[in-house]
Amino acid sequence: MNTKLEYLGDTYLFSQRARVYKTGRNEFGNYLILEQTIFYPQGGGQPSDKGIISSQLGEYPIYKVQLKEETVFHYTQSEISSSLLGELVTCRIDSVLRLKHAACHTAGHLIANCVEKLQPSIKAVKAYHFLEGPYIEFKGIYPDKPEELILELGNALQTSLSQSLMIETEITDKTVAETTHGFKTFRTVQIGNYEKIPCGGTHIKELTEIKNIKLSQLKKTKEGFRISYSTLIHEKE
Ligand SMILES: [Zn+2]
């Protein structure tokens, strides 16, 4: 079963009706599989969405979402009625959490883009976009003056944030994406004119949604260094 991944097309789709394809239980709990989903399954350094799936038969708070091969599993601690099979349910995700995740994740891409532009010999190799302690890891020579890199990076981020840069995603041909980037994703994301990054996560539409990105100092790693950060978004009225 290939679940249609609705979140790939629209980060801001917070509720949707979907048909139940299968229900069951495994080591993580009771699960629902739907024909399509707006729930982001944990992966690519980004945590799952949380939310509620409901029908006339009951409400199922979703605490974990997992993508196994091409199928998305929505886990709940509630008992699931077998009569749900084939029924239409309403999916609602926690929109505040979704937007925080999307902003934090997009900020991580921007940091990677800016460092790679400032120091072309340095490459971003790992991203962790959980709200508790997000970071980007880079491979390359540890800079002689790490404080200067952080200062330059801070300025580059400020400039980008003030330029209302748009974030565009593009679904590419699967085989091309695999051979070009060595990643098993067939979607790229691009902030303004920065380099495209292969990614299946959720991103905000415009950088102006981010109020500020705070940076830690560089931390040495085996291959290079790590930059931790935190992302502040504009409160919605
Ligand atoms: Zn991404």
Side-chain angles (χ1 to χ4, degrees), residues 6-42:
E6 300 282 355
Y7 59 84
L8 284 180
D10 188 356
T11 296
Y12 304 83
L13 188 59
F14 302 134
S15 74
Q16 190 187 51
R17 302 265 282 164
R19 199 169 293 282
V20 178
Y21 174 78
K22 194 182 169 190
T23 63
R25 183 173 173 79
N26 63 19
E27 70 267 38
F28 300 114
N30 297 320
Y31 64 77
L32 288 151
I33 297 174
L34 311 173
E35 289 178 354
Q36 77 254 31
T37 191
I38 53 171
F39 281 84
Y40 181 76
Q42 185 171 324

PDB file of all heavy atoms in Angstrom, residues 6-42:
ATOM      1  N   GLU A   6       0.300  13.675   1.487  1.00  0.00           N
ATOM      2  CA  GLU A   6      -0.275  14.997   1.211  1.00  0.00           C
ATOM      3  C   GLU A   6       0.597  16.139   1.737  1.00  0.00           C
ATOM      4  O   GLU A   6       0.578  17.239   1.200  1.00  0.00           O
ATOM      5  CB  GLU A   6      -1.677  15.109   1.829  1.00  0.00           C
ATOM      6  CG  GLU A   6      -2.667  14.095   1.303  1.00  0.00           C
ATOM      7  CD  GLU A   6      -3.219  14.470  -0.069  1.00  0.00           C
ATOM      8  OE1 GLU A   6      -2.911  15.557  -0.570  1.00  0.00           O
ATOM      9  OE2 GLU A   6      -3.959  13.640  -0.630  1.00  0.00           O
ATOM     10  N   TYR A   7       1.367  15.876   2.802  1.00  0.00           N
ATOM     11  CA  TYR A   7       2.190  16.940   3.396  1.00  0.00           C
ATOM     12  C   TYR A   7       3.309  17.390   2.449  1.00  0.00           C
ATOM     13  O   TYR A   7       3.843  18.479   2.590  1.00  0.00           O
ATOM     14  CB  TYR A   7       2.785  16.495   4.749  1.00  0.00           C
ATOM     15  CG  TYR A   7       3.654  15.266   4.629  1.00  0.00           C
ATOM     16  CD1 TYR A   7       4.984  15.364   4.261  1.00  0.00           C
ATOM     17  CD2 TYR A   7       3.123  14.001   4.855  1.00  0.00           C
ATOM     18  CE1 TYR A   7       5.771  14.232   4.111  1.00  0.00           C
ATOM     19  CE2 TYR A   7       3.900  12.864   4.714  1.00  0.00           C
ATOM     20  CZ  TYR A   7       5.217  12.986   4.347  1.00  0.00           C
ATOM     21  OH  TYR A   7       5.981  11.872   4.187  1.00  0.00           O
ATOM     22  N   LEU A   8       3.655  16.534   1.473  1.00  0.00           N
ATOM     23  CA  LEU A   8       4.701  16.918   0.515  1.00  0.00           C
ATOM     24  C   LEU A   8       4.263  18.112  -0.324  1.00  0.00           C
ATOM     25  O   LEU A   8       5.074  18.943  -0.716  1.00  0.00           O
ATOM     26  CB  LEU A   8       5.027  15.754  -0.427  1.00  0.00           C
ATOM     27  CG  LEU A   8       5.874  14.613   0.112  1.00  0.00           C
ATOM     28  CD1 LEU A   8       6.070  13.561  -0.977  1.00  0.00           C
ATOM     29  CD2 LEU A   8       7.230  15.087   0.605  1.00  0.00           C
ATOM     30  N   GLY A   9       2.967  18.190  -0.597  1.00  0.00           N
ATOM     31  CA  GLY A   9       2.461  19.250  -1.471  1.00  0.00           C
ATOM     32  C   GLY A   9       2.061  20.499  -0.718  1.00  0.00           C
ATOM     33  O   GLY A   9       2.035  21.586  -1.302  1.00  0.00           O
ATOM     34  N   ASP A  10       1.701  20.371   0.565  1.00  0.00           N
ATOM     35  CA  ASP A  10       1.185  21.533   1.294  1.00  0.00           C
ATOM     36  C   ASP A  10       1.440  21.409   2.800  1.00  0.00           C
ATOM     37  O   ASP A  10       0.792  20.623   3.478  1.00  0.00           O
ATOM     38  CB  ASP A  10      -0.327  21.674   1.027  1.00  0.00           C
ATOM     39  CG  ASP A  10      -0.903  22.965   1.589  1.00  0.00           C
ATOM     40  OD1 ASP A  10      -0.171  23.725   2.243  1.00  0.00           O
ATOM     41  OD2 ASP A  10      -2.108  23.197   1.370  1.00  0.00           O
ATOM     42  N   THR A  11       2.375  22.220   3.277  1.00  0.00           N
ATOM     43  CA  THR A  11       2.715  22.242   4.710  1.00  0.00           C
ATOM     44  C   THR A  11       1.527  22.744   5.538  1.00  0.00           C
ATOM     45  O   THR A  11       1.406  22.433   6.715  1.00  0.00           O
ATOM     46  CB  THR A  11       3.911  23.200   4.928  1.00  0.00           C
ATOM     47  OG1 THR A  11       5.037  22.659   4.245  1.00  0.00           O
ATOM     48  CG2 THR A  11       4.265  23.382   6.396  1.00  0.00           C
ATOM     49  N   TYR A  12       0.669  23.561   4.903  1.00  0.00           N
ATOM     50  CA  TYR A  12      -0.377  24.279   5.648  1.00  0.00           C
ATOM     51  C   TYR A  12      -1.733  23.569   5.577  1.00  0.00           C
ATOM     52  O   TYR A  12      -2.753  24.138   5.959  1.00  0.00           O
ATOM     53  CB  TYR A  12      -0.487  25.718   5.124  1.00  0.00           C
ATOM     54  CG  TYR A  12       0.846  26.431   5.207  1.00  0.00           C
ATOM     55  CD1 TYR A  12       1.807  26.273   4.220  1.00  0.00           C
ATOM     56  CD2 TYR A  12       1.160  27.226   6.313  1.00  0.00           C
ATOM     57  CE1 TYR A  12       3.043  26.887   4.310  1.00  0.00           C
ATOM     58  CE2 TYR A  12       2.388  27.849   6.402  1.00  0.00           C
ATOM     59  CZ  TYR A  12       3.330  27.683   5.400  1.00  0.00           C
ATOM     60  OH  TYR A  12       4.554  28.286   5.496  1.00  0.00           O
ATOM     61  N   LEU A  13      -1.749  22.343   5.096  1.00  0.00           N
ATOM     62  CA  LEU A  13      -2.979  21.539   5.076  1.00  0.00           C
ATOM     63  C   LEU A  13      -3.072  20.840   6.434  1.00  0.00           C
ATOM     64  O   LEU A  13      -2.391  19.844   6.683  1.00  0.00           O
ATOM     65  CB  LEU A  13      -2.899  20.512   3.934  1.00  0.00           C
ATOM     66  CG  LEU A  13      -4.146  19.699   3.613  1.00  0.00           C
ATOM     67  CD1 LEU A  13      -5.320  20.595   3.227  1.00  0.00           C
ATOM     68  CD2 LEU A  13      -3.852  18.710   2.488  1.00  0.00           C
ATOM     69  N   PHE A  14      -3.906  21.410   7.324  1.00  0.00           N
ATOM     70  CA  PHE A  14      -3.934  20.939   8.712  1.00  0.00           C
ATOM     71  C   PHE A  14      -5.070  19.951   8.983  1.00  0.00           C
ATOM     72  O   PHE A  14      -5.098  19.321  10.034  1.00  0.00           O
ATOM     73  CB  PHE A  14      -4.064  22.120   9.677  1.00  0.00           C
ATOM     74  CG  PHE A  14      -2.973  23.145   9.547  1.00  0.00           C
ATOM     75  CD1 PHE A  14      -3.266  24.497   9.514  1.00  0.00           C
ATOM     76  CD2 PHE A  14      -1.641  22.754   9.460  1.00  0.00           C
ATOM     77  CE1 PHE A  14      -2.262  25.453   9.397  1.00  0.00           C
ATOM     78  CE2 PHE A  14      -0.620  23.693   9.335  1.00  0.00           C
ATOM     79  CZ  PHE A  14      -0.931  25.051   9.301  1.00  0.00           C
ATOM     80  N   SER A  15      -6.048  19.867   8.090  1.00  0.00           N
ATOM     81  CA  SER A  15      -7.101  18.874   8.292  1.00  0.00           C
ATOM     82  C   SER A  15      -7.566  18.341   6.948  1.00  0.00           C
ATOM     83  O   SER A  15      -7.480  19.044   5.918  1.00  0.00           O
ATOM     84  CB  SER A  15      -8.270  19.462   9.084  1.00  0.00           C
ATOM     85  OG  SER A  15      -9.009  20.318   8.274  1.00  0.00           O
ATOM     86  N   GLN A  16      -8.005  17.100   6.964  1.00  0.00           N
ATOM     87  CA  GLN A  16      -8.394  16.451   5.713  1.00  0.00           C
ATOM     88  C   GLN A  16      -9.180  15.180   6.011  1.00  0.00           C
ATOM     89  O   GLN A  16      -8.942  14.532   7.032  1.00  0.00           O
ATOM     90  CB  GLN A  16      -7.139  16.066   4.921  1.00  0.00           C
ATOM     91  CG  GLN A  16      -7.421  15.616   3.511  1.00  0.00           C
ATOM     92  CD  GLN A  16      -6.187  15.078   2.820  1.00  0.00           C
ATOM     93  OE1 GLN A  16      -5.483  14.213   3.342  1.00  0.00           O
ATOM     94  NE2 GLN A  16      -5.904  15.586   1.634  1.00  0.00           N
ATOM     95  N   ARG A  17     -10.109  14.838   5.125  1.00  0.00           N
ATOM     96  CA  ARG A  17     -10.822  13.566   5.237  1.00  0.00           C
ATOM     97  C   ARG A  17     -10.002  12.503   4.496  1.00  0.00           C
ATOM     98  O   ARG A  17      -9.400  12.786   3.449  1.00  0.00           O
ATOM     99  CB  ARG A  17     -12.206  13.692   4.591  1.00  0.00           C
ATOM    100  CG  ARG A  17     -13.045  14.792   5.204  1.00  0.00           C
ATOM    101  CD  ARG A  17     -13.969  14.309   6.281  1.00  0.00           C
ATOM    102  NE  ARG A  17     -15.145  13.658   5.739  1.00  0.00           N
ATOM    103  CZ  ARG A  17     -15.942  12.878   6.473  1.00  0.00           C
ATOM    104  NH1 ARG A  17     -15.647  12.635   7.744  1.00  0.00           N
ATOM    105  NH2 ARG A  17     -17.019  12.321   5.937  1.00  0.00           N
ATOM    106  N   ALA A  18      -9.989  11.306   5.035  1.00  0.00           N
ATOM    107  CA  ALA A  18      -9.241  10.227   4.380  1.00  0.00           C
ATOM    108  C   ALA A  18      -9.925   8.893   4.664  1.00  0.00           C
ATOM    109  O   ALA A  18     -10.617   8.749   5.672  1.00  0.00           O
ATOM    110  CB  ALA A  18      -7.806  10.200   4.895  1.00  0.00           C
ATOM    111  N   ARG A  19      -9.730   7.947   3.774  1.00  0.00           N
ATOM    112  CA  ARG A  19     -10.358   6.633   3.961  1.00  0.00           C
ATOM    113  C   ARG A  19      -9.383   5.666   4.638  1.00  0.00           C
ATOM    114  O   ARG A  19      -8.188   5.679   4.345  1.00  0.00           O
ATOM    115  CB  ARG A  19     -10.818   6.080   2.602  1.00  0.00           C
ATOM    116  CG  ARG A  19     -11.856   4.982   2.722  1.00  0.00           C
ATOM    117  CD  ARG A  19     -12.488   4.633   1.383  1.00  0.00           C
ATOM    118  NE  ARG A  19     -13.317   5.678   0.809  1.00  0.00           N
ATOM    119  CZ  ARG A  19     -14.570   5.969   1.194  1.00  0.00           C
ATOM    120  NH1 ARG A  19     -15.139   5.295   2.178  1.00  0.00           N
ATOM    121  NH2 ARG A  19     -15.235   6.944   0.604  1.00  0.00           N
ATOM    122  N   VAL A  20      -9.948   4.852   5.561  1.00  0.00           N
ATOM    123  CA  VAL A  20      -9.111   3.889   6.293  1.00  0.00           C
ATOM    124  C   VAL A  20      -8.871   2.668   5.412  1.00  0.00           C
ATOM    125  O   VAL A  20      -9.809   2.027   4.949  1.00  0.00           O
ATOM    126  CB  VAL A  20      -9.790   3.470   7.621  1.00  0.00           C
ATOM    127  CG1 VAL A  20      -8.934   2.431   8.350  1.00  0.00           C
ATOM    128  CG2 VAL A  20     -10.044   4.689   8.486  1.00  0.00           C
ATOM    129  N   TYR A  21      -7.590   2.358   5.210  1.00  0.00           N
ATOM    130  CA  TYR A  21      -7.208   1.228   4.365  1.00  0.00           C
ATOM    131  C   TYR A  21      -6.999  -0.035   5.206  1.00  0.00           C
ATOM    132  O   TYR A  21      -7.344  -1.139   4.801  1.00  0.00           O
ATOM    133  CB  TYR A  21      -5.924   1.590   3.615  1.00  0.00           C
ATOM    134  CG  TYR A  21      -5.341   0.472   2.805  1.00  0.00           C
ATOM    135  CD1 TYR A  21      -5.887   0.125   1.568  1.00  0.00           C
ATOM    136  CD2 TYR A  21      -4.243  -0.250   3.279  1.00  0.00           C
ATOM    137  CE1 TYR A  21      -5.351  -0.910   0.830  1.00  0.00           C
ATOM    138  CE2 TYR A  21      -3.703  -1.291   2.541  1.00  0.00           C
ATOM    139  CZ  TYR A  21      -4.261  -1.613   1.321  1.00  0.00           C
ATOM    140  OH  TYR A  21      -3.720  -2.642   0.586  1.00  0.00           O
ATOM    141  N   LYS A  22      -6.442   0.157   6.407  1.00  0.00           N
ATOM    142  CA  LYS A  22      -6.149  -1.000   7.254  1.00  0.00           C
ATOM    143  C   LYS A  22      -6.023  -0.564   8.712  1.00  0.00           C
ATOM    144  O   LYS A  22      -5.598   0.572   8.983  1.00  0.00           O
ATOM    145  CB  LYS A  22      -4.822  -1.628   6.800  1.00  0.00           C
ATOM    146  CG  LYS A  22      -4.559  -3.007   7.354  1.00  0.00           C
ATOM    147  CD  LYS A  22      -3.204  -3.534   6.881  1.00  0.00           C
ATOM    148  CE  LYS A  22      -2.850  -4.787   7.663  1.00  0.00           C
ATOM    149  NZ  LYS A  22      -1.478  -5.224   7.443  1.00  0.00           N
ATOM    150  N   THR A  23      -6.361  -1.436   9.644  1.00  0.00           N
ATOM    151  CA  THR A  23      -6.083  -1.178  11.064  1.00  0.00           C
ATOM    152  C   THR A  23      -5.347  -2.402  11.607  1.00  0.00           C
ATOM    153  O   THR A  23      -5.435  -3.483  11.026  1.00  0.00           O
ATOM    154  CB  THR A  23      -7.378  -0.970  11.879  1.00  0.00           C
ATOM    155  OG1 THR A  23      -8.145  -2.175  11.825  1.00  0.00           O
ATOM    156  CG2 THR A  23      -8.206   0.189  11.348  1.00  0.00           C
ATOM    157  N   GLY A  24      -4.630  -2.228  12.712  1.00  0.00           N
ATOM    158  CA  GLY A  24      -3.922  -3.380  13.266  1.00  0.00           C
ATOM    159  C   GLY A  24      -3.145  -3.004  14.503  1.00  0.00           C
ATOM    160  O   GLY A  24      -3.350  -1.923  15.082  1.00  0.00           O
ATOM    161  N   ARG A  25      -2.264  -3.905  14.918  1.00  0.00           N
ATOM    162  CA  ARG A  25      -1.464  -3.667  16.115  1.00  0.00           C
ATOM    163  C   ARG A  25      -0.076  -4.261  15.894  1.00  0.00           C
ATOM    164  O   ARG A  25       0.062  -5.338  15.330  1.00  0.00           O
ATOM    165  CB  ARG A  25      -2.142  -4.353  17.312  1.00  0.00           C
ATOM    166  CG  ARG A  25      -1.431  -4.102  18.609  1.00  0.00           C
ATOM    167  CD  ARG A  25      -2.177  -4.635  19.827  1.00  0.00           C
ATOM    168  NE  ARG A  25      -1.304  -4.482  20.994  1.00  0.00           N
ATOM    169  CZ  ARG A  25      -1.138  -3.326  21.617  1.00  0.00           C
ATOM    170  NH1 ARG A  25      -1.815  -2.261  21.254  1.00  0.00           N
ATOM    171  NH2 ARG A  25      -0.298  -3.233  22.627  1.00  0.00           N
ATOM    172  N   ASN A  26       0.964  -3.536  16.286  1.00  0.00           N
ATOM    173  CA  ASN A  26       2.320  -4.104  16.277  1.00  0.00           C
ATOM    174  C   ASN A  26       3.051  -3.646  17.541  1.00  0.00           C
ATOM    175  O   ASN A  26       2.401  -3.190  18.492  1.00  0.00           O
ATOM    176  CB  ASN A  26       3.068  -3.727  14.986  1.00  0.00           C
ATOM    177  CG  ASN A  26       3.294  -2.229  14.844  1.00  0.00           C
ATOM    178  OD1 ASN A  26       3.219  -1.478  15.823  1.00  0.00           O
ATOM    179  ND2 ASN A  26       3.576  -1.779  13.633  1.00  0.00           N
ATOM    180  N   GLU A  27       4.370  -3.723  17.564  1.00  0.00           N
ATOM    181  CA  GLU A  27       5.125  -3.428  18.800  1.00  0.00           C
ATOM    182  C   GLU A  27       4.973  -1.986  19.285  1.00  0.00           C
ATOM    183  O   GLU A  27       5.218  -1.696  20.447  1.00  0.00           O
ATOM    184  CB  GLU A  27       6.606  -3.795  18.634  1.00  0.00           C
ATOM    185  CG  GLU A  27       7.414  -2.904  17.678  1.00  0.00           C
ATOM    186  CD  GLU A  27       7.472  -3.423  16.254  1.00  0.00           C
ATOM    187  OE1 GLU A  27       6.456  -3.953  15.759  1.00  0.00           O
ATOM    188  OE2 GLU A  27       8.537  -3.263  15.624  1.00  0.00           O
ATOM    189  N   PHE A  28       4.553  -1.067  18.398  1.00  0.00           N
ATOM    190  CA  PHE A  28       4.422   0.345  18.799  1.00  0.00           C
ATOM    191  C   PHE A  28       3.011   0.698  19.259  1.00  0.00           C
ATOM    192  O   PHE A  28       2.783   1.765  19.806  1.00  0.00           O
ATOM    193  CB  PHE A  28       4.816   1.277  17.646  1.00  0.00           C
ATOM    194  CG  PHE A  28       6.236   1.089  17.195  1.00  0.00           C
ATOM    195  CD1 PHE A  28       6.511   0.601  15.930  1.00  0.00           C
ATOM    196  CD2 PHE A  28       7.291   1.394  18.038  1.00  0.00           C
ATOM    197  CE1 PHE A  28       7.821   0.415  15.518  1.00  0.00           C
ATOM    198  CE2 PHE A  28       8.597   1.211  17.636  1.00  0.00           C
ATOM    199  CZ  PHE A  28       8.869   0.709  16.374  1.00  0.00           C
ATOM    200  N   GLY A  29       2.049  -0.178  19.018  1.00  0.00           N
ATOM    201  CA  GLY A  29       0.681   0.094  19.453  1.00  0.00           C
ATOM    202  C   GLY A  29      -0.332  -0.177  18.359  1.00  0.00           C
ATOM    203  O   GLY A  29      -0.018  -0.826  17.347  1.00  0.00           O
ATOM    204  N   ASN A  30      -1.538   0.320  18.596  1.00  0.00           N
ATOM    205  CA  ASN A  30      -2.597   0.167  17.592  1.00  0.00           C
ATOM    206  C   ASN A  30      -2.338   1.168  16.477  1.00  0.00           C
ATOM    207  O   ASN A  30      -1.940   2.295  16.743  1.00  0.00           O
ATOM    208  CB  ASN A  30      -3.958   0.470  18.212  1.00  0.00           C
ATOM    209  CG  ASN A  30      -4.291  -0.514  19.317  1.00  0.00           C
ATOM    210  OD1 ASN A  30      -4.022  -1.708  19.198  1.00  0.00           O
ATOM    211  ND2 ASN A  30      -4.853  -0.014  20.402  1.00  0.00           N
ATOM    212  N   TYR A  31      -2.573   0.727  15.257  1.00  0.00           N
ATOM    213  CA  TYR A  31      -2.305   1.658  14.157  1.00  0.00           C
ATOM    214  C   TYR A  31      -3.451   1.716  13.145  1.00  0.00           C
ATOM    215  O   TYR A  31      -4.264   0.788  13.040  1.00  0.00           O
ATOM    216  CB  TYR A  31      -0.995   1.316  13.441  1.00  0.00           C
ATOM    217  CG  TYR A  31      -0.955  -0.019  12.749  1.00  0.00           C
ATOM    218  CD1 TYR A  31      -1.582  -0.212  11.523  1.00  0.00           C
ATOM    219  CD2 TYR A  31      -0.265  -1.095  13.313  1.00  0.00           C
ATOM    220  CE1 TYR A  31      -1.544  -1.436  10.882  1.00  0.00           C
ATOM    221  CE2 TYR A  31      -0.224  -2.327  12.683  1.00  0.00           C
ATOM    222  CZ  TYR A  31      -0.863  -2.496  11.471  1.00  0.00           C
ATOM    223  OH  TYR A  31      -0.826  -3.714  10.839  1.00  0.00           O
ATOM    224  N   LEU A  32      -3.457   2.850  12.430  1.00  0.00           N
ATOM    225  CA  LEU A  32      -4.381   3.074  11.322  1.00  0.00           C
ATOM    226  C   LEU A  32      -3.533   3.349  10.083  1.00  0.00           C
ATOM    227  O   LEU A  32      -2.557   4.108  10.159  1.00  0.00           O
ATOM    228  CB  LEU A  32      -5.211   4.331  11.573  1.00  0.00           C
ATOM    229  CG  LEU A  32      -6.294   4.296  12.656  1.00  0.00           C
ATOM    230  CD1 LEU A  32      -6.478   5.688  13.237  1.00  0.00           C
ATOM    231  CD2 LEU A  32      -7.593   3.816  12.039  1.00  0.00           C
ATOM    232  N   ILE A  33      -3.905   2.751   8.982  1.00  0.00           N
ATOM    233  CA  ILE A  33      -3.280   3.098   7.699  1.00  0.00           C
ATOM    234  C   ILE A  33      -4.374   3.712   6.836  1.00  0.00           C
ATOM    235  O   ILE A  33      -5.464   3.144   6.719  1.00  0.00           O
ATOM    236  CB  ILE A  33      -2.671   1.853   7.011  1.00  0.00           C
ATOM    237  CG1 ILE A  33      -1.542   1.279   7.883  1.00  0.00           C
ATOM    238  CG2 ILE A  33      -2.155   2.191   5.611  1.00  0.00           C
ATOM    239  CD1 ILE A  33      -0.979  -0.040   7.372  1.00  0.00           C
ATOM    240  N   LEU A  34      -4.095   4.885   6.284  1.00  0.00           N
ATOM    241  CA  LEU A  34      -5.078   5.605   5.478  1.00  0.00           C
ATOM    242  C   LEU A  34      -4.630   5.620   4.019  1.00  0.00           C
ATOM    243  O   LEU A  34      -3.445   5.404   3.735  1.00  0.00           O
ATOM    244  CB  LEU A  34      -5.202   7.052   5.983  1.00  0.00           C
ATOM    245  CG  LEU A  34      -5.378   7.225   7.488  1.00  0.00           C
ATOM    246  CD1 LEU A  34      -5.316   8.705   7.852  1.00  0.00           C
ATOM    247  CD2 LEU A  34      -6.698   6.626   7.945  1.00  0.00           C
ATOM    248  N   GLU A  35      -5.563   5.910   3.129  1.00  0.00           N
ATOM    249  CA  GLU A  35      -5.178   5.969   1.711  1.00  0.00           C
ATOM    250  C   GLU A  35      -4.279   7.162   1.441  1.00  0.00           C
ATOM    251  O   GLU A  35      -3.419   7.119   0.571  1.00  0.00           O
ATOM    252  CB  GLU A  35      -6.436   6.023   0.828  1.00  0.00           C
ATOM    253  CG  GLU A  35      -7.167   4.685   0.836  1.00  0.00           C
ATOM    254  CD  GLU A  35      -8.447   4.686   0.031  1.00  0.00           C
ATOM    255  OE1 GLU A  35      -8.851   5.752  -0.463  1.00  0.00           O
ATOM    256  OE2 GLU A  35      -9.041   3.601  -0.082  1.00  0.00           O
ATOM    257  N   GLN A  36      -4.508   8.265   2.188  1.00  0.00           N
ATOM    258  CA  GLN A  36      -3.621   9.426   2.067  1.00  0.00           C
ATOM    259  C   GLN A  36      -3.465  10.049   3.451  1.00  0.00           C
ATOM    260  O   GLN A  36      -4.306   9.819   4.321  1.00  0.00           O
ATOM    261  CB  GLN A  36      -4.159  10.458   1.080  1.00  0.00           C
ATOM    262  CG  GLN A  36      -5.282  11.316   1.577  1.00  0.00           C
ATOM    263  CD  GLN A  36      -6.607  10.907   0.950  1.00  0.00           C
ATOM    264  OE1 GLN A  36      -6.830   9.747   0.635  1.00  0.00           O
ATOM    265  NE2 GLN A  36      -7.496  11.870   0.793  1.00  0.00           N
ATOM    266  N   THR A  37      -2.395  10.822   3.644  1.00  0.00           N
ATOM    267  CA  THR A  37      -2.196  11.399   4.978  1.00  0.00           C
ATOM    268  C   THR A  37      -1.578  12.782   4.944  1.00  0.00           C
ATOM    269  O   THR A  37      -0.758  13.085   4.074  1.00  0.00           O
ATOM    270  CB  THR A  37      -1.348  10.475   5.873  1.00  0.00           C
ATOM    271  OG1 THR A  37      -1.413  10.975   7.210  1.00  0.00           O
ATOM    272  CG2 THR A  37       0.112  10.408   5.438  1.00  0.00           C
ATOM    273  N   ILE A  38      -2.012  13.605   5.922  1.00  0.00           N
ATOM    274  CA  ILE A  38      -1.380  14.912   6.117  1.00  0.00           C
ATOM    275  C   ILE A  38      -0.352  14.823   7.247  1.00  0.00           C
ATOM    276  O   ILE A  38       0.388  15.766   7.497  1.00  0.00           O
ATOM    277  CB  ILE A  38      -2.423  16.012   6.456  1.00  0.00           C
ATOM    278  CG1 ILE A  38      -3.305  15.592   7.645  1.00  0.00           C
ATOM    279  CG2 ILE A  38      -3.263  16.343   5.244  1.00  0.00           C
ATOM    280  CD1 ILE A  38      -4.210  16.707   8.169  1.00  0.00           C
ATOM    281  N   PHE A  39      -0.307  13.685   7.954  1.00  0.00           N
ATOM    282  CA  PHE A  39       0.627  13.517   9.080  1.00  0.00           C
ATOM    283  C   PHE A  39       2.046  13.264   8.570  1.00  0.00           C
ATOM    284  O   PHE A  39       2.265  12.333   7.779  1.00  0.00           O
ATOM    285  CB  PHE A  39       0.213  12.321   9.938  1.00  0.00           C
ATOM    286  CG  PHE A  39      -0.926  12.587  10.883  1.00  0.00           C
ATOM    287  CD1 PHE A  39      -2.241  12.495  10.445  1.00  0.00           C
ATOM    288  CD2 PHE A  39      -0.687  12.912  12.210  1.00  0.00           C
ATOM    289  CE1 PHE A  39      -3.298  12.722  11.315  1.00  0.00           C
ATOM    290  CE2 PHE A  39      -1.739  13.133  13.086  1.00  0.00           C
ATOM    291  CZ  PHE A  39      -3.053  13.047  12.645  1.00  0.00           C
ATOM    292  N   TYR A  40       3.008  14.050   9.055  1.00  0.00           N
ATOM    293  CA  TYR A  40       4.413  13.813   8.682  1.00  0.00           C
ATOM    294  C   TYR A  40       4.977  12.686   9.542  1.00  0.00           C
ATOM    295  O   TYR A  40       4.934  12.758  10.771  1.00  0.00           O
ATOM    296  CB  TYR A  40       5.245  15.095   8.879  1.00  0.00           C
ATOM    297  CG  TYR A  40       6.682  14.880   8.484  1.00  0.00           C
ATOM    298  CD1 TYR A  40       7.048  14.836   7.143  1.00  0.00           C
ATOM    299  CD2 TYR A  40       7.664  14.654   9.444  1.00  0.00           C
ATOM    300  CE1 TYR A  40       8.348  14.583   6.770  1.00  0.00           C
ATOM    301  CE2 TYR A  40       8.982  14.407   9.078  1.00  0.00           C
ATOM    302  CZ  TYR A  40       9.315  14.371   7.740  1.00  0.00           C
ATOM    303  OH  TYR A  40      10.601  14.108   7.372  1.00  0.00           O
ATOM    304  N   PRO A  41       5.518  11.638   8.919  1.00  0.00           N
ATOM    305  CA  PRO A  41       6.129  10.556   9.695  1.00  0.00           C
ATOM    306  C   PRO A  41       7.581  10.892  10.027  1.00  0.00           C
ATOM    307  O   PRO A  41       8.292  11.415   9.167  1.00  0.00           O
ATOM    308  CB  PRO A  41       6.055   9.369   8.744  1.00  0.00           C
ATOM    309  CG  PRO A  41       5.977   9.960   7.376  1.00  0.00           C
ATOM    310  CD  PRO A  41       5.552  11.393   7.471  1.00  0.00           C
ATOM    311  N   GLN A  42       7.997  10.601  11.249  1.00  0.00           N
ATOM    312  CA  GLN A  42       9.360  10.939  11.675  1.00  0.00           C
ATOM    313  C   GLN A  42      10.389  10.435  10.667  1.00  0.00           C
ATOM    314  O   GLN A  42      10.314   9.308  10.198  1.00  0.00           O
ATOM    315  CB  GLN A  42       9.643  10.329  13.039  1.00  0.00           C
ATOM    316  CG  GLN A  42      11.000  10.747  13.572  1.00  0.00           C
ATOM    317  CD  GLN A  42      11.183  10.312  15.012  1.00  0.00           C
ATOM    318  OE1 GLN A  42      10.247  10.331  15.790  1.00  0.00           O
ATOM    319  NE2 GLN A  42      12.386   9.927  15.360  1.00  0.00           N
TER     320      GLN A  42
END
